[in-house]
Amino acid sequence: MRLRALLETDALGLRLLGGEDELDRSVRGVMTTDLRDPSRYLSGGELVLTGLAWRRDATDSEPFVRILAGAGVAGLAAGEAELGEIPGDLIEACERHHLPLFAVHETVAFATITEYVVRQVSGERAGDLAAVVDRHRRLMTSGPAGGGPEVVLDLLGSDLDLHAWVLSPTGRQIAGAGDAPLAGPVGAALAGHHLAATRTGRRAPHRATVGGTTYSLFPIRNAGRGPVPASRDVRESVLSDWLLAVEADASDWPPARLDLLQGVTQLIAVERDRRDAARTVRRRLAQEVLELVQTGAPPAEIAARLRVAAPVLLPGLGSAPHWQVVVARVEWGVAEGSAATGAPAGSSGSAVAGGPVAQALLEEILVDPAVTGPDSADRIAVAHTGDEAVALVPLPAVTAPAPAHDSGPDLAPAEASTDEDSALHADVLLAAVREPLSAGLADDGRLTLGVSAAVHSPEGLRGALEEARHARRVAAARPGRVCAAGHHELASHVLLLPFVPDDVRRAFTARLLDPLRDYDRRHRAELIPTLEAFLDCDGSWTRCASRLHLHVNTLRYRVGRIEQLTGRDLSRLEDKLDFFLALRMS
């Protein structure tokens, strides 16, 4: 449809404020936003609807309009309900950027305009889209009547016989139609396929086959129409965007059906924006507590903030919980080019802020993967500073029953302890998400994470923060795209490894392991795997030979060759320890 058609429909109550010469622009979709920078959600050709909540003063209009014009939107429609008349600075900015501007009368709901535009754009494919559009108003409303993303997924199933699920970047189910949830491993595999395809720059929808079933994967944020804008680095959003998984092969679908699914992703994106806005309070609480802890504020002041945070994060809790601190860091290497990273060729990782990416990731990682639904992160507060994200995770306190002889009215209440089953453990935390996140990080990204012990007082938070940061540095010393370490590891030798200077590390490992690697390359002797297994079996010849499926004499020959090449004796504890550390640091 053309922009001009909007003015010809009296029911929309639109008034043209500028851009009469641009009214023949084509409208390919509609988006409602009050973000100051909505560029990441635009793919071009949209009619943007805004209530002007982003505008604080006259200087805000120019950057907002410049972003819209740069994204190639068709036009802007501003509501009069917030400010009455449309500000002159917004009108002038639209004139400078040749962006058509409409005023929306306060009596007209944005949902009415959205419904009209979707109907007109999809006129030729009304048979597919009618059911979805008819329920769009419900999707845009809040509360139980709105139904959330499940409404549109139910329509896809009932009207088009398409089974679909909304998934997080780790594969956790956000929404699904009916009573058939997607199995956790399947969701993780689909998310991994989607993230890998997105990082390589492949055009959506992405096709994936898991367990003999074919799925088509549609990004929720970027609808896949046209290339990603050159100014946007896909690494900024790839690890936080939702995706729509449809149990069908879309490779032979007609354009009308593909456009239908794009419209569905746009509707779900509206709901995602609504859910993200709910995180604002929790993020602010976490930021305030983090700043107090880092600046050494008195424990009483920190305790006061925690008393404010506890009802928000744990509604209905009778007593203050224990807390754990989780620290995450996302680091990007140098991008090889747009094909691999979605960024302009030659751009560097330093251009991608790691803090917001780590914050969004941590908010997802800390959700129990067995829990479905978009609201399951309501009890997680994550702040970020620099390239680091810090999560304040409440743990319900378990009150131990008082002994019978302590039942007097003047005695202190029973002591609260932490339920170990509810505490976070680093190895468990990433088990379900390591595979898909590794695909999204590709060859130039890395996620490291550290988990503190539980603390039960404000005095312990500063130590917990430092403990989590030390644990993260231990994780950073390990190989792999996604690594985590917990507080219990800080009492072992691994605490020392991250602080060994790189030149010392390289010299030490090279002296011990390079002769074995060279020999393995020339003779395929597998001395390094043999050494690892031998140490892991505590030097037991029988257990090691059984693990490697070797005759004991063959194992003795290999160990003898290792000793000959390195001048070490694997019967000596000191030499075993040196090899063990060299393997850990390599």
Side-chain angles (χ1 to χ4, degrees):
M1 65 171 295
R2 305 289 181 183
L3 279 176
R4 191 179 305 279
L6 298 173
L7 292 175
E8 298 170 355
T9 306
D10 295 337
L12 298 183
L14 296 181
R15 182 163 48 91
L16 183 65
L17 300 181
E20 185 174 0
D21 295 335
E22 303 290 338
L23 290 180
D24 286 328
R25 290 186 181 186
S26 296
V27 179
R28 299 194 329 202
V30 63
M31 174 193 175
T32 301
T33 184
D34 276 312
L35 296 174
R36 297 168 69 86
D37 180 6
S39 58
R40 63 183 296 192
Y41 310 132
L42 299 171
S43 58
E46 298 92 348
L47 172 67
V48 175
L49 307 176
T50 180
L52 300 177
W54 50 266
R55 184 185 179 277
R56 298 173 184 171
D57 56 47
T59 61
D60 290 335
S61 293
E62 170 62 23
F64 181 78
V65 173
R66 184 171 62 249
I67 288 169
L68 298 187
V73 305
L76 173 65
E80 295 179 326
E82 181 74 15
L83 301 178
E85 294 186 355
I86 305 303
D89 48 89
L90 179 60
I91 298 174
E92 294 171 1
C94 288
E95 289 177 351
R96 282 193 297 272
H97 292 278
H98 305 287
L99 182 66
L101 175 64
F102 301 89
V104 182
H105 195 271
E106 62 181 5
T107 60
V108 178
F110 282 175
T112 300
I113 300 174
T114 300
E115 186 171 315
Y116 175 84
V117 171
V118 174
R119 283 183 183 276
Q120 295 303 311
V121 169
S122 57
E124 296 84 5
R125 33 196 156 86
D128 272 354
L129 202 51
V132 176
V133 176
D134 285 342
R135 304 288 180 86
H136 183 227
R137 189 186 304 275
R138 287 185 57 202
L139 192 65
M140 296 292 290
T141 60
S142 60
E150 286 81 3
V151 171
V152 70
L153 298 184
D154 283 336
L155 288 171
L156 288 177
S158 61
D159 292 6
L160 305 180
D161 197 25
L162 291 176
H163 301 289
W165 301 264
V166 178
L167 304 178
S168 78
T170 65
R172 182 175 62 87
Q173 181 174 315
I174 302 296
D179 299 323
L182 198 65
V186 175
L190 292 177
H193 280 291
H194 172 73
L195 292 175
T198 302
R199 288 303 311 274
T200 56
R202 284 167 46 197
R203 184 186 180 94
H206 308 131
R207 183 179 182 274
T209 301
V210 178
T213 302
T214 299
Y215 301 86
S216 295
L217 311 176
F218 297 80
I220 299 294
R221 291 305 191 190
N222 176 11
R225 298 185 67 166
V228 176
S231 60
R232 174 188 171 192
D233 193 320
V234 72
R235 294 174 295 181
E236 296 176 359
S237 61
V238 67
L239 296 175
S240 59
D241 287 351
W242 291 355
L243 67 135
L244 177 67
V246 181
E247 188 179 324
D249 186 352
S251 59
D252 58 351
W253 281 5
R257 179 65 66 91
L258 290 174
D259 283 348
L260 161 64
L261 267 295
Q262 181 198 0
V264 169
T265 62
Q266 290 175 344
L267 300 185
I268 298 173
V270 173
E271 184 68 14
R272 172 67 190 267
D273 293 340
R274 187 199 308 269
R275 307 285 181 171
D276 285 349
R279 294 182 176 179
T280 303
V281 173
R282 298 193 298 277
R283 285 180 170 181
R284 185 170 65 247
L285 287 172
Q287 197 73 44
E288 291 174 355
V289 174
L290 176 61
E291 290 173 0
L292 290 174
V293 171
Q294 292 191 131
T295 56
E301 188 175 354
I302 299 175
R305 295 310 303 158
L306 290 178
R307 282 194 294 271
V308 173
V312 176
L313 300 176
L314 286 178
L317 191 67
S319 60
H322 292 92
W323 303 89
Q324 272 183 287
V325 176
V326 183
V327 172
R329 189 180 183 92
V330 173
E331 298 171 293
W332 300 103
V334 177
E336 296 295 335
S338 57
T341 66
S347 64
S348 66
S350 61
V352 181
V357 178
Q359 182 181 42
L361 259 184
L362 206 48
E363 287 172 334
E364 171 60 29
I365 291 172
L366 293 176
V367 178
D368 184 345
V371 176
T372 61
D375 294 324
S376 52
D378 283 349
R379 297 180 177 182
I380 297 166
V382 185
H384 76 82
T385 173
D387 287 335
E388 178 184 77
V390 179
L392 189 65
V393 183
L395 301 174
V398 179
T399 303
H405 58 78
D406 287 340
S407 57
D410 297 329
L411 296 179
E415 182 180 357
S417 61
T418 304
D419 183 358
E420 284 298 324
D421 291 337
S422 65
L424 299 174
H425 298 276
D427 52 346
V428 177
L429 205 56
L430 292 188
V433 302
R434 180 176 282 109
E435 182 179 348
L437 291 184
S438 296
L441 292 163
D443 294 329
D444 61 337
R446 194 153 192 260
L447 167 67
T448 52
L449 186 146
V451 181
S452 79
V455 296
H456 62 277
S457 67
E459 292 89 341
L461 279 179
R462 186 175 182 86
L465 177 59
E466 291 305 314
E467 189 174 57
R469 284 173 169 163
H470 279 301
R472 192 207 64 78
R473 285 193 284 269
V474 169
R478 297 172 176 168
R481 289 290 164 193
V482 181
C483 297
H487 60 92
H488 62 281
E489 299 183 61
L490 300 184
S492 88
H493 66 278
V494 296
L495 175 61
L496 303 175
L497 299 185
F499 307 103
V500 177
D502 288 342
D503 54 344
V504 175
R505 182 193 301 264
R506 285 191 295 268
F508 181 75
T509 57
R511 189 174 297 114
L512 279 175
L513 301 183
D514 279 2
L516 306 183
R517 292 184 178 122
D518 292 342
Y519 192 87
D520 280 348
R521 277 194 295 268
R522 294 196 306 270
H523 303 285
R524 299 181 180 178
E526 298 187 356
L527 297 185
I528 291 289
T530 300
L531 175 62
E532 291 175 335
F534 187 73
L535 295 176
D536 194 43
C537 292
D538 298 323
S540 170
W541 297 98
T542 303
R543 283 194 289 124
C544 184
S546 176
R547 175 180 295 190
L548 296 175
H549 305 290
L550 298 175
H551 192 278
V552 172
N553 289 341
T554 303
L555 176 61
R556 292 185 184 278
Y557 171 80
R558 289 187 182 180
V559 171
R561 179 63 66 184
I562 291 171
E563 294 175 334
Q564 179 185 13
L565 291 170
T566 61
R568 299 299 186 104
D569 182 355
L570 278 170
S571 65
R572 297 178 68 248
L573 176 61
E574 293 86 349
D575 288 344
K576 287 180 181 177
L577 180 59
D578 285 347
F579 277 122
F580 176 80
L581 293 175
L583 289 169
R584 283 297 184 95
M585 291 191 293
S586 63

